[in-house]
Amino acid sequence: MSAFSASDFNSKRYSSSRPSYPSEFYRIIDKYHDGERKLLVDVGCGPGTATLQMAEELRPFDRIIGSDLSATMIKTAKAIREESPDIYRNVSFEVSPSDNFEFLGAGSTDKQKVDMITAVECAHWFDFQKFQRSVYANLRKDGTIAIWGYADPIFPAYPEFDDLMIEVPYGKETLGPYWEQPGRSRLRSMLKDSNLNPALFYDIRVSCFHAEDIRDQAKLRQHTEMLLLIRKQITLVEFAEYVRTWSAYHGWKQDPKNKNKQDVADWFIEESLRRRPELTVNTKIEVVWNTFYKLGKRI
Ligand SMILES: C[S@@+](CC[C@H](N)C(=O)[O-])C[C@H]1O[C@@H](n2cnc3c(N)ncnc32)[C@H](O)[C@@H]1O
């Protein structure tokens, strides 16, 4: 996934503008995980969004390692860690692809060391079959694989923005052509075709939540599983900053043919204000994301 690895990708903006994950979700993982907590590896960790949260939110692990293909992301993750070295003293970061755990020093006969492997908002970029085989090779028996993420938010109280939430990311004249595929389509479908293999994992749990269900109590009640609910009070300006963290925005910005066009994130603000003139750029409004998770335990 090249945009996040580009040396000019703004990984600091990514870290401050992307949503993080709610405490309630970490309770779901705590409850799900069985046994020892010596080592957790968070692959595709980016600037450490979930890695650093897990150090604070999960029942403690002795060691937490975040790994990512992008040296730019890992540099930012290390810098954020250094701001609070006491809180994050058991956390470290490695530049590594998601299916390589050589940084653990594990030889071919000594791989099953890891108690939990997480892949947050990144598994859509992976060769999923290869990834789950390497998870199987590196997790201990009964260890946890936890994959989760989010896509395509809505503003529940503003249905008149719904078409903008499709036009900005997927429009032909906006960011649509700039997503790397098939990664984005996989994320958009919330990894529905990437399933944990029951020959490798048991107690498999899957959740898929469409943010529009929040508008309908009857639909919400149909969810019997615990949900990953990512919601945030955000201003239009902050939302535009979030748009600027998308890999497709990075590609759009780099393309010379867009040089004289209005910035697509600014266009989103302008169009929202035109539709709801009572808002200002600084009014806080609620945004809710589509989310999914997949949990499994190694056989
Ligand atoms: C959208 S970011 C997610 C970062 C973080 N986990 C979070 O929750 O925000 C996706 C990350 O996956 C990384 N990535 C993409 N393909 C990868 C691969 N094959 N191996 C490791 N990391 C990868 C990218 O470099 C990027 O940092």
Side-chain angles (χ1 to χ4, degrees), residues 135-201:
V135 168
Y136 180 79
N138 287 283
L139 269 183
R140 65 155 165 84
K141 184 175 175 328
D142 305 318
T144 298
I145 169 72
I147 297 168
W148 72 90
Y150 56 88
D152 300 337
I154 59 164
F155 292 93
Y158 298 88
E160 55 277 79
F161 294 176
D162 285 2
D163 65 310
L164 277 183
M165 307 310 271
I166 296 179
E167 184 57 27
V168 173
Y170 302 116
K172 278 202 198 111
E173 297 301 321
T174 52
L175 303 184
Y178 295 92
W179 293 107
E180 243 177 77
Q181 296 292 4
R184 183 63 195 192
S185 298
R186 286 194 198 129
L187 180 66
R188 202 176 175 190
S189 76
M190 296 199 271
L191 263 58
K192 75 172 171 41
D193 297 321
S194 303
N195 297 312
L196 288 173
N197 181 347
L200 307 180
F201 304 100

Side-chain angles (χ1 to χ4, degrees), residues 45-63:
C45 68
T49 316
T51 331
L52 297 170
Q53 258 198 314
M54 288 191 283
E56 294 192 79
E57 295 272 3
L58 285 181
R59 289 202 354 250
F61 279 77
D62 295 347
R63 271 177 83 198

Side-chain angles (χ1 to χ4, degrees), residues 209-224:
F209 170 67
H210 290 96
E212 64 190 26
D213 291 1
I214 211 106
R215 291 179 175 143
D216 183 338
Q217 285 303 315
K219 280 194 180 158
L220 264 187
R221 278 195 295 273
Q222 281 168 13
H223 288 279
T224 49

